């Protein structure tokens, strides 16, 4: 019970699976060239309450906003029962969601809390929580209708209900097109550039239905990719906060889980929630007990699929593995620590930190891939160099990723602490959606290839495994995290010292990242960003090989 970790999907109420929507499908043509003729769509979606209350007031239950809608189970074929059964199945999720909503306001304030929570309202319309990805959208009308529902939910508290007519099927979309962004009293719509671009694309289509009638696949693919990107971006920020919520409000989570899952009544929750929880518990057992890293793993000069999979696991929140060290400061920097050892090497420590910077992810990628990034350390780095670049070999499973070896000697500037040596194998991986970079990771792991065995009089060799991971959350905003696991030897490896320095180092990383990105943007780096920087050479090769995209075009 103590180690239960809930997925973000537990907060998503899939309103696209409603009887309202399916009834409309039966009443309208729903083909690619048709449009809805039901002028009461917006009335059907309106809350029953007649008072004009903000849907996001702390005194207002979120469920009141949608109390007239019929929630369904995982699939329509599975339900086959009364609306009461369907309501009960999602009621427990609504209860937890309301607690998360109020917690957001308490720690982020009403304005920022609204903006974050409204991203969850977007997921309600476009996210499939059972598959944890964008839901299937077969019709343009489905897309138009769902976006209209989302806009109504976030705009109605300030501008009231606007009824649709035969001449204006999507009144909230039309309202946005007729008003300047500055006149819209909504932070999410004002500030999120990708969401604004997506809405403009849909507005253009609703005003030019001939494009829809022609069923232009290119337009459809572009819209789907933009939706996928928004789902990814919104999920990242929501996950960041939901993880903190689970750690801060552990008693609420335990009480909710006990009430929901221990009554042996699967009518109280969608089945995919329990399946997800069980899957997460199996992963804990696998990595903690069956797949521990050993000395051999820190001697090879290759980065494997299993390394990326393990880092992805460590980057996630897992109750019982991670403990929150600090969070929710004005810089949105969060630090986590763990007392678990995922290796056979004694005294291996595990930490991670994360935050946000207001830069394009491409600029972050360029800066992190430049050799100058190593000059931002708090310690003096001696003999820092790169060796043995190895390209991708499609015929060798050990060479799926470009790799190179980074060596360095760290001097702490005092005779009290001996110097440390570092020899890491480094590689990269990236994800693109519709030809645009969505995330990238720079992973590193101790190896033994360049440096000879050190004597007792020489620096202590650090054992380390970790990664810097970057995610796009808007055009000019990036979420990052660094996961670090290792043993730096001696007194400096003491848990107390590491935990005391964690917050300081996290703030330093955020500052250094911003400084080096600015240097990159302002062309103040010590040398050009070319293939003499092995980090950049690796990301260019990876993107060209797997995506046919050349990052040099970002320069």
């Amino acid at each position: 019970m103590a180690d239960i970790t809930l997925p973000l999907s537990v907060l998503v109420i899939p309103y696209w699976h409603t009887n309202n929507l399916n009834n409309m499908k039966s009443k309208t043509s729903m083909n690619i060239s048709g449009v809805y003729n039901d002028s009461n769509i917006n009335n059907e979606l309106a809350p029953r309450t007649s008072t004009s209350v903000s849907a996001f007031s702390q005194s207002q239950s979120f469920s009141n906003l949608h109390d007239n809608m019929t929630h369904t189970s995982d699939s329509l074929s599975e339900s086959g029962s009364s609306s009461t059964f369907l309501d009960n199945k999602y009621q427990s999720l609504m209860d937890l969601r309301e607690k998360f909503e109020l917690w957001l306001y308490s720690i982020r304030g009403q304005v920022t809390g609204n903006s974050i929570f409204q991203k969850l309202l977007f997921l309600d319309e476009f996210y499939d929580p059972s598959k944890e990805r964008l839901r299937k959208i077969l019709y343009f009308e489905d897309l138009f209708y769902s976006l209209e529902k989302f806009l109504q939910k976030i705009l109605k508290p300030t501008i009231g209900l606007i009824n649709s007519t035969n001449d204006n099927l999507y009144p909230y979309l039309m309202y946005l097109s007729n008003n300047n962004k500055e006149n819209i009293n909504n932070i999410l719509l004002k500030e999120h550039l990708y969401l604004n671009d997506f809405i403009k694309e849909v507005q253009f289509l609703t005003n030019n239905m001939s494009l829809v009638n022609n069923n232009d696949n290119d337009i459809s693919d572009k819209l789907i990719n933009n939706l996928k990107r928004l789902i990814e971006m919104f999920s990242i920020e929501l996950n960041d906060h939901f993880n903190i919520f689970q750690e801060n409000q552990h008693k609420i989570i335990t009480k909710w889980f006990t009430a929901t899952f221990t009554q042996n009544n699967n009518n109280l929750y969608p089945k995919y929630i329990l399946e997800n929880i069980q899957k997460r518990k199996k992963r804990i057992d696998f990595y903690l007990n069956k797949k521990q890293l050993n000395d051999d793993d820190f001697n090879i000069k290759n980065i494997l699929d299993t390394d990326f999979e393990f880092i992805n696991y460590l980057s996630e929140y897992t109750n019982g593995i991670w403990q929150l060290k600090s969070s929710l400061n004005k810089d949105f920097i969060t630090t986590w620590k763990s007392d678990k050892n995922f290796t056979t090497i004694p005294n291996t420590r595990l930490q991670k930190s994360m935050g946000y910077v207001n830069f394009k992810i491409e600029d972050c990628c360029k800066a992190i891939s430049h050799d100058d990034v190593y000059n931002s350390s708090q310690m003096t780095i001696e003999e820092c160099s790169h060796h043995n670049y190895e390209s991708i070999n499609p015929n060798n499973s050990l060479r799926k990723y470009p790799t190179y070896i980074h060596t360095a000697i760290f001097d702490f500037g005092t005779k009290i602490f001996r110097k440390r040596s570092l020899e890491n194998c480094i590689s990269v991986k990236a994800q693109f959606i519709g030809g645009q970079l969505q995330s990238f990771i720079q992973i590193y792991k101790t190896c033994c290839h360049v440096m000879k065995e050190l004597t007792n009089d020489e620096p202590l060799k650090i054992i380390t495994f970790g990664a810097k991971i970057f995610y796009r959350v808007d055009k000019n905003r990036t979420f990052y995290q660094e996961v670090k696991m290792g043993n730096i030897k001696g007194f400096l490896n003491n848990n107390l010292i590491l935990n005391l320095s964690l917050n300081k180092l996290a703030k330093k990383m955020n500052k250094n990242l911003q400084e080096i990105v600015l240097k990159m943007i302002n062309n103040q780096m010590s040398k050009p960003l070319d293939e003499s920087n092995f980090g950049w050479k690796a990301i260019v090769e990876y993107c060209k090989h797997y995506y046919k995209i050349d990052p040099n075009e970002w320069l």
Side-chain angles (χ1 to χ4, degrees):
M1 183 70 66
D3 294 336
I4 293 300
T5 305
L6 300 178
L8 177 64
S9 56
V10 77
L11 295 178
V12 179
I13 309 299
Y15 284 112
W16 48 275
H17 259 337
T18 65
N19 284 347
N20 279 335
L21 181 56
N22 284 279
N23 286 339
M24 280 188 291
K25 287 182 179 180
S26 65
K27 287 189 283 184
T28 60
S29 63
M30 282 301 294
N31 57 44
I32 208 71
S33 61
V35 293
Y36 287 122
N37 293 318
D38 191 338
S39 61
N40 295 317
I41 290 177
N42 294 100
N43 288 325
E44 291 180 8
L45 293 173
R48 288 177 183 171
T49 175
S50 60
T51 55
S52 178
V53 197
S54 170
F56 309 104
S57 167
Q58 292 195 29
S59 61
Q60 171 84 355
S61 167
F62 172 82
S63 59
N64 287 343
L65 182 63
H66 302 288
D67 63 355
N68 66 310
M69 300 193 69
T70 305
H71 309 149
T72 69
S73 60
D74 311 343
S75 66
L76 294 174
S77 59
E78 178 187 337
S79 62
S81 185
S82 66
S83 60
T84 302
F85 168 81
L86 299 176
D87 284 337
N88 289 340
K89 196 161 187 127
Y90 279 90
Q91 188 56 52
S92 62
L93 306 191
M94 294 292 290
D95 293 341
L96 180 65
R97 175 171 160 137
E98 183 177 330
K99 291 179 173 62
F100 173 68
E101 178 190 2
L102 298 181
W103 174 83
L104 267 179
Y105 301 143
S106 69
I107 56 95
R108 288 295 189 219
Q110 190 77 5
V111 175
T112 304
N114 277 355
S115 177
I116 297 170
F117 189 79
Q118 286 169 5
K119 294 171 183 175
L120 183 57
L121 301 181
F122 188 89
L123 296 193
D124 288 344
E125 304 299 338
F126 296 106
Y127 184 74
D128 186 342
S130 64
K131 296 181 173 61
E132 297 188 299
R133 66 189 186 200
L134 175 68
R135 70 176 176 89
K136 186 177 293 186
I137 298 176
L138 299 177
Y139 306 101
F140 279 104
E141 291 90 336
D142 187 4
L143 171 63
F144 300 160
Y145 171 74
S146 295
L147 182 58
E148 177 73 8
K149 282 203 298 178
F150 165 70
L151 293 175
Q152 180 186 330
K153 283 186 280 187
I154 67 174
L155 289 175
K156 182 178 178 294
T158 55
I159 69 173
L161 176 66
I162 309 176
N163 290 321
S164 62
T165 65
N166 289 333
D167 296 327
N168 186 7
L169 295 173
Y170 310 108
Y172 287 91
L173 274 167
M174 182 62 67
Y175 175 84
L176 288 181
S177 65
N178 293 336
N179 287 270
N180 294 327
K181 187 167 63 173
E182 291 74 17
N183 297 331
I184 306 298
N185 187 22
N186 184 282
I187 296 298
L188 180 61
L189 293 177
K190 279 186 175 182
E191 297 184 353
H192 202 280
L193 301 180
Y194 264 111
L195 178 60
N196 270 279
D197 287 350
F198 175 72
I199 291 173
K200 289 177 182 177
E201 286 182 274
V202 176
Q203 287 171 336
F204 176 78
L205 286 175
T206 57
N207 293 327
N208 297 270
M209 293 302 292
S210 60
L211 295 176
V212 175
N213 296 339
N214 291 333
N215 190 16
D216 188 326
N217 289 325
D218 291 335
I219 295 177
S220 180
D221 289 345
K222 182 180 179 182
L223 284 171
I224 292 300
N225 283 329
N226 288 343
L227 264 177
K228 288 180 180 178
R229 193 176 296 114
L230 285 167
I231 291 292
E232 287 281 333
M233 291 188 288
F234 290 173
S235 296
I236 288 163
E237 189 169 2
L238 285 164
N239 248 321
D240 183 31
H241 287 82
F242 188 48
N243 294 340
I244 300 170
F245 170 75
Q246 291 189 69
E247 189 71 11
N248 277 348
Q249 306 295 321
H250 185 64
K251 290 183 178 179
I252 289 178
I253 296 296
T254 302
K255 183 178 179 181
W256 177 86
F257 182 86
T258 302
T260 304
F261 290 95
T262 59
Q263 299 183 35
N264 197 28
N265 181 0
N266 60 9
N267 292 349
L268 295 178
Y269 56 87
K271 66 179 182 180
Y272 59 79
I273 299 297
L274 187 58
E275 290 173 351
N276 190 301
I277 292 173
Q278 292 170 339
K279 179 180 177 181
R280 286 167 179 255
K281 288 181 72 69
K282 289 179 180 178
R283 291 181 73 196
I284 296 175
D285 179 64
F286 176 75
Y287 284 114
L288 199 55
N289 302 318
K290 300 177 182 177
K291 192 63 176 69
Q292 290 184 308
L293 298 179
N294 55 43
D295 288 326
D296 292 338
D297 294 307
F298 293 109
N299 284 323
I300 62 174
K301 59 170 184 174
N302 300 103
I303 297 294
L304 309 176
D305 281 332
T306 52
D307 295 319
F308 283 106
E309 291 165 3
F310 185 35
I311 277 294
N312 284 335
Y313 170 72
L314 293 178
S315 71
E316 298 172 355
Y317 167 74
T318 305
N319 186 24
I321 300 297
W322 291 103
Q323 298 88 47
L324 187 66
K325 185 71 168 61
S326 70
S327 67
L328 310 179
N329 53 47
K330 63 179 181 179
D331 298 316
F332 281 38
I333 299 172
T334 306
T335 55
W336 300 80
K337 62 179 182 177
S338 176
D339 58 4
K340 303 298 183 183
N341 190 348
F342 289 87
T343 77
T344 59
I345 301 171
N347 301 317
T348 300
R349 312 305 185 193
L350 179 59
Q351 300 175 332
K352 63 181 174 181
S353 62
M354 55 199 68
Y356 299 82
V357 289
N358 292 323
F359 296 107
K360 296 178 180 178
I361 189 172
E362 291 86 356
D363 290 333
C364 293
C365 182
K366 291 186 291 184
I368 287 296
S369 302
H370 197 285
D371 288 349
D372 282 4
V373 73
Y374 299 104
N375 297 328
S376 60
S377 172
Q378 290 179 307
M379 298 171 286
T380 300
I381 301 179
E382 303 175 354
E383 304 172 32
C384 176
S385 57
H386 291 153
H387 319 261
N388 298 79
Y389 185 93
E390 292 192 2
S391 295
I392 296 170
N393 184 345
N395 300 316
N396 187 340
S397 61
L398 298 179
R399 301 264 298 278
K400 291 178 66 175
Y401 305 97
T403 60
Y404 59 98
I405 295 175
H406 169 65
T407 59
I409 303 294
F410 293 95
D411 187 347
F412 293 89
T414 174
K415 294 182 178 180
I416 299 177
F417 302 118
R418 281 177 60 183
K419 294 179 181 181
R420 264 55 172 183
S421 69
L422 179 74
E423 181 179 355
N424 283 343
C425 180
I426 300 178
S427 188
V428 296
K429 193 174 183 179
Q431 176 201 13
F432 287 80
I433 298 177
Q436 291 192 16
L437 182 65
Q438 177 58 34
S439 66
F440 81 94
I441 174 172
Q442 186 183 80
I443 189 172
Y444 52 88
K445 183 175 67 172
T446 292
C447 65
C448 187
H449 184 70
V450 175
M451 289 182 167
K452 298 178 180 180
E453 290 296 323
L454 302 174
T455 67
N456 290 334
D457 295 330
E458 292 179 305
L460 294 172
K461 185 172 183 179
I462 296 173
I463 304 297
T464 183
F465 176 68
K468 294 181 176 72
I469 314 172
F470 297 81
Y471 306 89
R472 184 192 300 277
V473 290
D474 201 356
K475 281 189 177 181
N476 300 313
R477 188 164 171 81
T478 301
F479 174 75
Y480 70 87
Q481 67 168 304
E482 181 174 24
V483 183
K484 297 181 292 185
M485 179 172 65
N487 186 334
I488 61 175
K489 307 291 180 65
F491 180 69
L492 290 175
N493 199 57
N494 182 279
N495 244 334
L496 178 61
I497 292 177
L498 291 173
N499 289 333
L500 286 175
S501 62
L502 178 57
N503 290 343
K504 181 179 179 181
L505 291 175
K507 292 178 181 178
K508 181 69 174 176
M509 178 187 175
N510 183 277
K511 180 182 177 182
N512 289 344
L513 177 60
Q514 295 189 59
E515 288 177 350
I516 196 165
V517 173
L518 280 174
K519 285 180 64 177
M520 174 62 67
I521 294 173
N522 295 324
N523 296 315
Q524 297 174 344
M525 303 299 252
S526 63
K527 63 177 182 179
L529 185 63
D530 53 28
E531 292 194 355
S532 66
N533 302 272
F534 280 2
W536 183 245
K537 183 177 181 179
I539 194 69
V540 169
E541 181 182 358
Y542 178 88
C543 295
K544 283 184 176 180
H545 182 84
Y546 288 106
Y547 288 94
K548 311 302 180 188
I549 291 173
D550 185 0
N552 286 307
E553 296 178 359
W554 305 340
L555 300 179

